[in-house]
Amino acid sequence: MENKYPKVGVGVIIIRNGKILLGERLSSHGAGTFQIPGGHLEFGESFEDAAVREASEETGLKNLIPKEVVSLGNDIAYEKHYISIGVLVESLEGEPYDAEPEHSRNWKWYNIDNLPSNIFPHSRRVIDNWRNKSFYKNENLL
């Protein structure tokens, strides 16, 4: 086996007025499910800075306020291995749009108590960890 190392991903829960932002995933694995914004941590970047950057790149939202790290995951699925950091971010203004339409689309605000059922497993874990105040759970996501 060649030398393989996990990548570090950041999943972003964006909240506003009791709602969270979800978009339709277009990537090959999980296409058609709903997801929170996210992406890769860059060298030298804080979790919070990565969350704000990735969320802004995907949704077009500006002036995002990072609140706290809410989830940690050791995600091995889809023949990939990620250390996943979930970050809670607040948005006070602006409307999301499909800033990276090749990756996701249809960003909409959802009431936290009435989320779609088909949420991408990695996004679901971050949301559940935040809602249940269960920072880390080691579980198979598939």
Side-chain angles (χ1 to χ4, degrees):
M1 177 181 199
E2 65 182 81
N3 288 333
K4 291 187 175 184
Y5 299 95
K7 295 181 180 178
V8 179
V10 177
V12 188
I13 298 174
I14 303 176
I15 58 169
R16 182 190 293 171
N17 299 326
K19 296 183 177 183
I20 68 170
L21 189 65
L22 297 174
E24 182 185 349
R25 185 176 178 84
L26 300 177
S27 296
S28 59
H29 58 283
T33 60
F34 290 90
Q35 68 176 10
I36 57 176
H40 293 100
L41 181 71
E42 293 182 357
F43 185 83
E45 194 172 39
S46 72
F47 300 149
E48 295 84 0
D49 287 347
V52 167
R53 177 184 53 77
E54 286 291 349
S56 183
E57 286 174 1
E58 289 188 30
T59 69
L61 290 172
K62 305 294 182 205
N63 301 319
L64 298 170
I65 304 164
K67 295 296 188 179
E68 62 183 319
V69 174
V70 296
S71 180
L72 174 64
N74 184 32
D75 302 332
I76 303 168
Y78 305 106
E79 298 182 19
K80 299 174 187 273
H81 186 178
Y82 276 88
I83 305 306
S84 300
I85 311 299
V87 179
L88 181 66
V89 170
E90 185 175 16
S91 170
L92 301 175
E93 62 187 15
E95 287 307 314
Y97 62 91
D98 303 335
E100 291 184 336
E102 67 278 10
H103 298 293
S104 53
R105 66 179 175 202
N106 300 325
W107 293 103
K108 294 180 185 165
W109 297 102
Y110 290 87
N111 185 301
I112 190 65
D113 294 319
N114 191 23
L115 298 178
S117 60
N118 61 330
I119 296 178
F120 186 62
H122 295 72
S123 293
R124 170 63 72 188
R125 184 196 32 79
V126 173
I127 294 167
D128 287 349
N129 284 358
W130 167 60
R131 290 184 71 193
N132 299 327
K133 298 186 181 358
S134 174
F135 186 76
Y136 172 75
K137 283 179 112 176
N138 187 16
E139 60 185 314
N140 185 349
L141 294 173
L142 297 178

